[in-house]
Amino acid sequence: MDAPINVADYEQLAAERLEPGVLGYFAGGAGDERTLRENVSAFGRYSLHPRVLVDVDEVSTRTSVLGTGISMPVGVAPVAFQRLVHPEGEVAMARAAAGAGTLMTLSTIATSHPAEIAAEAPPGPRWFQLYRFRDSGVTDALVADAVESGFEAIALTVDAPRAGRRERDLRTGFEYPASITAPALAAALGSSRPTTPREVFELVDSSLTWDDLAAFAAECPLPIVLKGVQTGADAALAVEHGAAAVVVSNHGGRQLDGVPAPIEILPEVVEAVAGRREVLLDGGVRRGIDVVTALGLGARAVLVGRAPLWGLAVDGEHGARDVLEILRSEVELAMVLLGCREPDEITAEHVRARPRLAP
Ligand SMILES: Cc1cc2nc3c(=O)[nH]c(=O)nc-3n(C[C@H](O)[C@H](O)[C@H](O)COP(=O)(O)O)c2cc1C
């Protein structure tokens, strides 16, 4: 292949370079991977409706999330164990996001501590993704580290009280190599070392409830973004229990197979939240037109997981940055052609669900 020009090109190049176990871990989903496929294909069920004769001489993709300015309505989702695809891992991803002027979310099970990201990457908007471990001391220490390292919000992931059944990992016998460690996990485990994703999730506190969210939100010095909301009812509860924002997400199709694509749930969540909080979405975003579709349906911004990860796998910081710049320029072009000068001008009038054929 010549130089990659879109996310699909990066995905193909990454698939050629990664060894099968690692590729299966990053590319795979749960069960029969119905949801994994749906996340991408569902965007095709929406059409875009441009307005013409709008002065689009000057267009800006800049926007904000939770009051922080970002260069485009696309941020980086938390993805675990990034040193599996590139030796600079999350540090390179953080540099790419900072260079692109957008948000980076660091996973709890990252191969770098928040402090290392702050020291090794230029400043930029950053969130820390949290799994609440059974050992609350470990969780508290992680949050303290994120606060100290200048992270601006906690993205609390609530769709994974247990690991989904990821059959690619079972078939390849995927295990985390001993040479790559996740500092937060090391702290949670003491001397022992988790070898599989399932073992990691056994550390997560599966007894968490809405009351725990309210208590955590009251004591946490950072705003809590609830990641993994999949119904309007839960989005309303999230608002009532102290969440500062919600992310409509099914964990990239890795948890409960059979759930619908986030883009299909987005309208019901936006309606339930009723403007009280910002709503973000992740899952299946591969193109700028996916981003504007989500914005038209009421998302403030989207997060991308695998897309920049493929860039990281192909060419480290440069590859991840290139993927983000490709998405930014695709979003900008889509805005120009839709007749929108800024992300806030993308509205429901620009997006329609395609009529479904009778079964
Ligand atoms: C390999 C992999 C690891 C992930 N690790 C985490 C994680 O540690 N914490 C988390 O909240 N979400 C995690 N996610 C989910 C992403 O944050 C995000 O929801 C998902 O990747 C979005 O879908 P996309 O990959 O189609 O963009 C992971 C996803 C992948 C593919």
Side-chain angles (χ1 to χ4, degrees):
M1 185 195 295
D2 297 332
I5 61 164
N6 59 29
V7 171
D9 287 351
Y10 271 102
E11 179 172 5
Q12 190 185 324
L13 286 175
E16 287 164 15
R17 286 171 195 207
L18 297 175
E19 59 95 358
V22 172
L23 176 62
Y25 171 66
F26 284 95
D32 291 323
E33 302 189 335
R34 282 190 219 169
T35 295
L36 178 72
R37 288 188 294 278
E38 260 293 289
N39 282 359
V40 176
S41 62
F43 280 106
R45 294 202 289 273
Y46 296 85
S47 52
L48 295 171
H49 299 265
R51 297 298 306 270
V52 296
L53 293 180
V54 178
D55 176 355
V56 284
D57 227 19
E58 282 186 23
V59 164
S60 170
T61 58
R62 282 198 71 76
T63 186
S64 65
V65 279
L66 295 180
T68 298
I70 49 176
S71 62
M72 59 176 150
V74 181
V76 175
V79 167
F81 272 95
Q82 296 185 9
R83 279 203 170 93
L84 284 172
V85 303
H86 190 274
E88 288 173 358
E90 290 84 356
V91 170
M93 186 66 85
R95 287 178 181 150
T102 198
L103 175 74
M104 153 89 179
T105 314
L106 184 72
S107 166
T108 293
I109 40 181
T111 51
S112 290
H113 237 273
E116 186 187 349
I117 298 295
E120 301 291 328
R126 283 184 195 123
W127 294 352
F128 182 72
Q129 178 269 325
L130 186 69
Y131 289 122
R132 296 262 307 197
F133 288 137
R134 292 178 195 279
D135 182 338
S136 60
V138 173
T139 309
D140 294 347
L142 278 171
V143 172
D145 191 10
V147 173
E148 200 156 300
S149 304
F151 284 62
E152 293 172 32
I154 298 293
L156 180 67
T157 300
V158 289
D159 55 17
R162 245 186 230 186
R165 186 177 159 85
R166 301 167 190 170
E167 296 189 354
R168 295 198 208 193
D169 291 351
L170 299 178
R171 288 190 202 286
T172 63
F174 174 73
E175 293 191 350
Y176 299 122
S179 55
I180 293 178
T181 53
L185 279 184
L189 283 162
S191 55
S192 60
R193 191 180 75 79
T195 55
T196 63
R198 197 175 49 77
E199 280 176 28
V200 169
F201 282 97
E202 279 165 10
L203 300 168
V204 173
D205 181 358
S206 52
S207 72
L208 218 62
T209 64
W210 291 107
D211 286 344
D212 296 320
L213 170 64
F216 182 46
E219 83 195 16
C220 183
L222 298 179
I224 312 282
V225 177
L226 207 65
K227 176 174 181 283
V229 170
Q230 298 184 66
T231 60
D234 277 350
L237 284 170
V239 173
E240 287 158 24
H241 290 81
V246 299
V247 185
V248 185
S249 170
N250 56 39
H251 215 109
R254 297 164 74 79
Q255 286 301 108
L256 181 60
D257 196 25
V259 300
I263 194 68
E264 293 209 300
I265 301 299
L266 179 63
E268 97 172 43
V269 168
V270 167
E271 192 184 339
V273 169
R276 292 174 291 170
R277 301 287 189 276
E278 291 178 352
V279 176
L280 289 86
L281 168 146
D282 74 30
V285 174
R286 303 289 183 270
R287 283 286 191 187
I289 58 169
D290 301 337
V291 180
V292 297
T293 300
L295 266 59
L297 296 177
R300 181 75 193 166
V302 305
L303 303 178
V304 281
R306 292 182 183 83
L309 196 280
W310 302 140
L312 181 71
V314 171
D315 197 11
E317 174 190 343
H318 180 264
R321 170 83 186 263
D322 194 33
V323 164
L324 292 172
E325 296 299 345
I326 286 171
L327 288 171
R328 204 200 61 75
S329 73
E330 287 186 0
V331 169
E332 183 181 290
L333 179 59
M335 287 173 57
V336 169
L337 298 179
L338 275 177
C340 298
R341 287 160 296 203
E342 49 186 69
D344 281 352
E345 289 186 356
I346 308 172
T347 67
E349 82 162 330
H350 299 103
V351 181
R352 292 183 206 159
R354 289 183 203 276
R356 292 212 187 209
L357 299 175

